[in-house]
Amino acid sequence: MLMMKAGVLRPARLVSLRKLNLDSISNGKDGVLVVGAMTTLRELERSAAVKEGWPVITRALRTLSNVRVRNVATVGGALAHADPHMDLPPLLSALGARATIAGPQGERSAPIESLYAGYLENTLRRGELITHIEIPPLGKRRAAYLKCTTRSADDWPALGMAVVLDGGEARIWVSAATDKPTRLLAAEKILKGQITDEKALRQAGAAAAEEVHIESDLHGSADYKKQLIRVYLARAVHEARNAVH
Amino acid sequence: MRREIRFRLNGEAVSAQVAPHETLVELLQEGFGLYGARESCGQGLCGCCTVLVDGRAVSGCLYLASLVEDSDVRTIEDGGELDAVQQAFIEASGFQCGFCTPGFVLMTRQLLDEIPDPSEDDIKHYLSGNLCRCGAYPEIIAAVKLAARKRKGV
């Protein structure tokens, strides 16, 4: 809608997806949560099932824009928009979530991270729609999502970082500083078996800041965001370790 | 390309011819002469265009008019008498110029419908998407607390 108002998109037709019945949250097989793509962010935030099983999502949603926007914005829209400043793509990528995509050739399933090619560029093919997302159970994993906003509390973030800890291993995703959700593999490697080691956390932060291409934008210069990555990596790991489920 | 939609506007059954790209604020202003919801930032940040659709606050400047088909739409012009929230904003001086006030009042109604006895954190959370350029925030928070008491009849 914003893109249309700004004149970036000039659609010849507008097609409402409201009557497709894609707005439910249900339990799938093996503890997977199945969320319809037309579910509003507000419904996801207020879902008892999400709060119980994936409290990191509930917490992240409470910091996403404002109540009025969440009342209307949908999960599918938030994923397909491919703006790197969105909070759900890095978080759902770190959680190992997948999207079900329907198109002329039928349905396919894809990891959330595979939806992104670059800034505002998704990988959906012509005629395809995200219909559902599937979020695997957290189980014994611990998760956190931290972001840094620079101009006001509810601004788009300069940095978004999601951490999921599974035993001694960390899965770390960054976005906003990068042009799409990006996994911090070098940092993960350093942290393997050492997620409580302060020195390893500092090294991982430094490695993370070097391993990705960082974009300057209105929310901060590339150098500033590099420093944010160094600092936030340890903070996000601490937050995940202390996350109460 | 205009299409007829029917909905309830401030309690009355109405119909309108809307174009696909028309926003709810445009429809309210041009179709019904209601100017309480006004477009200011145009991006969902400021809350001046707040309208209640089926009890939920939406940004009227980002909401397609055709989406209110079969819905219950409430604007600040709803009702003949001031409600507890409006009365509280007057008594607590929860505004200066008043441009943002309709949005604050409608957002406060959703807050009190969902959390009848909100904490200060709850109030700030729900109203974080409403901007008051006059900076009447302390008075607005006091007004919301007063409105909660008034609704409970205390």
Side-chain angles (χ1 to χ4, degrees):
Chain A
M1 188 69 196
L2 274 178
M3 306 284 275
M4 196 172 80
K5 285 187 78 171
V8 178
L9 297 178
R10 295 175 173 276
R13 287 185 178 82
L14 291 173
V15 179
S16 173
L17 307 178
R18 289 197 163 197
K19 292 181 181 166
L20 294 179
N21 291 325
L22 294 175
D23 55 358
S24 65
I25 300 173
S26 58
N27 296 308
K29 275 188 291 187
D30 303 323
V32 169
L33 189 76
V34 182
V35 181
M38 290 296 285
T39 304
T40 65
L41 300 183
R42 183 81 174 145
E43 285 159 350
L44 194 64
E45 171 194 349
R46 288 167 72 86
S47 155
V50 175
K51 197 174 178 185
E52 170 81 22
W54 297 265
V56 64
I57 295 177
T58 311
R59 286 194 295 270
L61 285 168
R62 284 181 60 80
T63 69
L64 192 157
S65 189
N66 58 54
V67 172
R68 209 177 46 253
V69 166
R70 298 200 296 276
N71 276 343
V72 178
T74 61
V75 171
L79 294 179
H81 186 37
D83 185 323
H85 301 95
M86 306 292 245
D87 301 295
L88 286 181
L91 176 56
L92 292 176
S93 298
L95 290 171
R98 300 179 69 86
T100 299
I101 299 158
Q105 270 86 49
E107 278 195 350
R108 65 184 175 100
S109 169
I112 296 296
E113 59 267 27
S114 73
L115 294 172
Y116 305 106
Y119 195 87
L120 297 177
E121 263 184 86
N122 69 38
T123 57
L124 294 172
R125 296 193 278 264
R126 196 173 176 83
E128 282 191 331
L129 275 178
I130 299 172
T131 58
H132 297 89
I133 59 167
E134 293 86 36
I135 311 171
L138 260 183
K140 289 182 179 164
R141 298 182 297 163
R142 291 284 178 271
Y145 176 74
L146 287 187
K147 65 175 169 180
C148 176
T149 58
T150 50
R151 299 185 301 183
S152 67
D154 59 355
D155 191 14
W156 295 104
L159 174 84
M161 191 176 280
V163 170
V164 176
L165 301 177
D166 191 355
E169 292 194 21
R171 245 173 108 103
I172 311 172
W173 285 77
V174 66
S175 200
T178 49
D179 70 347
K180 61 177 181 176
T182 305
R183 191 170 174 183
L184 299 175
L185 290 164
E188 288 181 10
K189 200 172 165 192
I190 292 170
L191 283 179
K192 198 165 181 174
Q194 304 203 75
I195 56 168
T196 59
D197 186 282
E198 292 298 329
K199 196 175 156 201
L201 283 166
R202 275 197 301 278
Q203 285 172 349
E210 294 307 320
E211 72 175 298
V212 289
H213 176 73
I214 301 173
E215 302 283 345
S216 292
D217 63 14
L218 289 171
H219 312 283
S221 66
D223 280 345
Y224 178 66
K225 291 184 188 177
K226 267 193 179 192
Q227 181 62 12
L228 288 180
I229 290 180
R230 286 188 198 103
V231 173
Y232 271 74
L233 187 123
R235 280 188 199 170
V237 171
H238 278 302
E239 176 105 355
R241 282 179 56 209
N242 296 322
V244 180
H245 284 190
Chain B
M1 280 294 281
R2 286 184 171 264
R3 187 171 72 88
E4 185 178 79
I5 59 165
R6 294 168 186 279
F7 60 104
R8 291 186 74 79
L9 177 57
N10 295 332
E12 277 183 45
V14 296
S15 66
Q17 297 286 330
V18 296
H21 61 274
E22 197 171 338
T23 68
L24 183 51
V25 162
E26 288 167 342
L27 174 64
L28 291 171
Q29 295 191 347
E30 290 158 27
F32 296 94
L34 299 177
Y35 290 87
R38 57 283 295 254
E39 179 159 349
S40 184
C41 76
Q43 300 178 44
L45 305 173
C46 76
C48 290
C49 63
T50 302
V51 176
L52 295 179
V53 177
D54 295 329
R56 295 173 317 151
V58 309
S59 297
C61 78
L62 293 178
Y63 203 81
L64 290 172
S66 60
L67 295 178
V68 303
E69 185 159 31
D70 300 328
S71 297
D72 182 69
V73 177
R74 303 270 168 181
T75 70
I76 195 65
E77 289 89 351
D78 184 30
E81 290 176 16
L82 300 179
D83 79 332
V85 178
Q86 289 167 306
Q87 198 63 46
F89 268 72
I90 292 170
E91 289 175 27
S93 301
F95 50 81
Q96 194 175 131
C97 81
F99 190 83
C100 66
T101 311
F104 272 100
V105 167
L106 292 168
M107 201 65 226
T108 300
R109 285 186 190 158
Q110 186 187 341
L111 162 64
L112 296 181
D113 286 348
E114 292 178 359
I115 309 175
D117 195 10
S119 67
E120 190 151 328
D121 276 353
D122 293 328
I123 296 171
K124 289 179 178 173
H125 185 73
Y126 273 72
L127 298 184
S128 71
N130 292 71
L131 302 182
C132 168
R133 310 285 181 191
C134 301
Y137 296 110
E139 291 80 4
I140 289 169
I141 290 169
V144 176
K145 289 178 181 171
L146 179 59
R149 291 199 297 276
K150 280 181 179 292
R151 273 203 177 185
K152 283 191 294 188
V154 181

